[in-house]
Amino acid sequence: GSGPLVQKTVARESIHIPSVETKVIPHAKGDIMMITVNQFGDDTVDGVRTALENITPKTTGIILDLRFNGGGYLEGAVDIVSMFLESGKVVTVERRNTPPESHLVSGHPLEPVRPLVVLVNGGSASASEITAGALQDYERATIIGTQTFGKGTVQEVLELPGGSNLRLTVARWLTPDGHDLGKKGVTPNIIIDRTVEQMKDGIDPQLDAAINVLTDKKK
């Protein structure tokens, strides 16, 4: 183009994606509290706790959306499972040459009874799989979506002389029933896909299924 040159200064800003987003989905049979957890970071546990503390008596169920959540702090998974489970373990870490270490729930749940659905997909990994796997094993939640990523290992990278490095699997994660999360991840109770086209069009069959499960249980 032969137009005049305009110089602009563009400010680069870091985009902060909140780790927890909540919304209430109104329904004839009672509201549904949807809690989307994007990652297990510093403020995740507080965010989920706040959402649960804001639940009203007319809330019929809870959706915990862990789709595309690649994980984060193991402690965050333990804390979040503790909000929904009265007792039990969240995950067992098996390391070489040391006894297995089980992480137990706190015993002070906020929502131990209200119907719960967890949404997962192939992008749900690590702490997300620990959370979904524990809630599924204790039959506390119905897991809906597609097979999770299967990142049930803890790896350490050793730097070797000459610049190469070696990845050592130093531990693996087992769900309360003993499923090795690294082998195949978590298999949902109800397997439903959501295509890229559906995402673009705002169509969400996984969420629709979750709403159906939560409202069908209501007598």
Side-chain angles (χ1 to χ4, degrees), residues 24 30-33 51-61 111 114:
V24 175
D31 293 346
I32 293 169
M33 170 66 84
L52 295 179
E53 285 170 349
N54 285 328
I55 280 181
T56 65
K58 68 173 185 171
T59 304
T60 192
E111 284 289 340
R114 207 181 304 261

Side-chain angles (χ1 to χ4, degrees), residues 25-39:
I25 302 170
H27 193 279
K29 295 186 181 175
D31 293 346
I32 293 169
M33 170 66 84
M34 181 163 176
I35 305 170
T36 302
V37 181
N38 297 306
Q39 62 189 22

Side-chain angles (χ1 to χ4, degrees), residues 1-2 7 14 26 29 32 41 45 61 68 73 83 104 112-113 122 124 132 143 145 154 164 169 207 209 211:
S2 57
Q7 197 163 7
S14 61
K29 295 186 181 175
I32 293 169
V45 173
F68 298 111
Y73 301 135
M83 295 181 196
L104 306 178
V113 181
S124 307
I143 315 298
V154 183
S164 61
T169 298
L207 175 58
I211 293 169

Side-chain angles (χ1 to χ4, degrees), residues 21 56 99 130:
E21 298 171 83
T56 65
I130 288 172

Side-chain angles (χ1 to χ4, degrees), residues 118-162:
V118 180
L119 297 179
V120 295
N121 62 12
S124 307
S126 170
S128 292
E129 296 178 287
I130 288 172
T131 303
L135 293 170
Q136 182 182 49
D137 281 4
Y138 286 108
E139 297 180 1
R140 174 65 189 92
T142 304
I143 315 298
I144 295 179
T146 52
Q147 195 76 21
T148 65
F149 185 76
K151 188 195 180 308
T153 56
V154 183
Q155 291 186 325
E156 283 177 8
V157 179
L158 299 178
E159 293 190 5
L160 301 177

